[in-house]
Amino acid sequence: MLKLRWLLGVLLTGALSQGTAAAVLSCTADPSSSVERVLRGVVGGEPVPAGFSVTYTESQPPHASLSLSIHADGTVAQQAVGEPVGQPRAVTPWEWRKLAALIVVRKLWQQQTPERAPGNDEGRATLTLRCGDQSSEVWEWQGDLVKNRRLIQVREAMKKAAWTP
């Protein structure tokens, strides 16, 4: 945990000290704006471009499911079945920047879990990063979330940013 905090601090400090980029990030006007490029720009101080969103979905059939989305303008959308949710609130640009830094540090646009057939009642957690027509989706098996410490960290960061304390 200390290593991740240190990396986030270094990433944020370095990116913010470089100033803002000359080009404004866009999800619609610039087809070369990859999800990774947009996230790095947000960490560097650029505003989150319209059309960008982060969605975490967790499904543990047949018991529970959660879908939590944070959109570029800070709005939050959520759906849950059998899962407690918080009162949604607007996500600030600073919270967006922290979330983007976590995603960049963990390279959460890269799939690491290998494909296999699911076990009985085994669900998946999915993180979808969307920028206009482009998207990146990674997933992990429900039972591996704590062990892997990738998607579970983003889930907790999203809950913290999106829900009223």
Side-chain angles (χ1 to χ4, degrees):
M1 186 62 149
L2 181 59
K3 182 180 177 183
L4 181 60
R5 286 185 184 185
W6 179 83
L7 285 172
L8 286 171
V10 169
L11 185 60
L12 286 171
T13 302
L16 294 176
S17 67
Q18 293 176 2
T20 57
V24 174
L25 297 173
S26 170
C27 284
T28 55
D30 184 3
S32 68
S33 288
S34 69
V35 168
E36 179 185 1
R37 181 172 172 256
V38 168
L39 286 165
R40 290 184 184 279
V42 170
V43 171
E46 290 291 320
V48 181
F52 194 85
S53 65
V54 176
T55 301
Y56 176 85
T57 306
E58 194 172 289
S59 173
Q60 192 170 12
H63 312 292
S65 66
L66 169 68
S67 178
L68 179 62
S69 297
I70 300 176
H71 300 279
D73 62 0
T75 58
V76 174
Q78 62 186 12
Q79 293 180 323
V81 174
E83 199 54 45
V85 294
Q87 180 65 37
R89 65 182 172 109
V91 175
T92 67
W94 175 245
E95 291 166 323
W96 249 118
R97 193 165 294 124
K98 289 190 308 186
L99 181 60
L102 175 62
I103 293 168
V104 168
V105 166
R106 303 293 281 167
K107 295 183 180 180
L108 289 173
W109 54 86
Q110 296 176 349
Q111 178 68 33
Q112 289 187 356
T113 303
E115 185 66 58
R116 65 169 170 77
N120 289 343
D121 293 338
E122 186 174 39
R124 285 186 180 191
T126 305
L127 184 70
T128 304
L129 309 170
R130 185 169 307 284
C131 186
D133 293 336
Q134 296 184 45
S135 68
S136 173
E137 185 174 284
V138 297
W139 59 269
E140 292 180 351
W141 294 110
Q142 190 75 29
D144 294 338
L145 288 173
V146 173
K147 177 183 74 170
N148 293 343
R149 301 286 310 147
R150 290 185 82 218
L151 297 189
I152 199 167
Q153 286 183 331
V154 172
R155 178 189 72 191
E156 295 309 308
M158 288 178 71
K159 286 179 177 181
K160 186 175 179 182
W163 292 348
T164 303

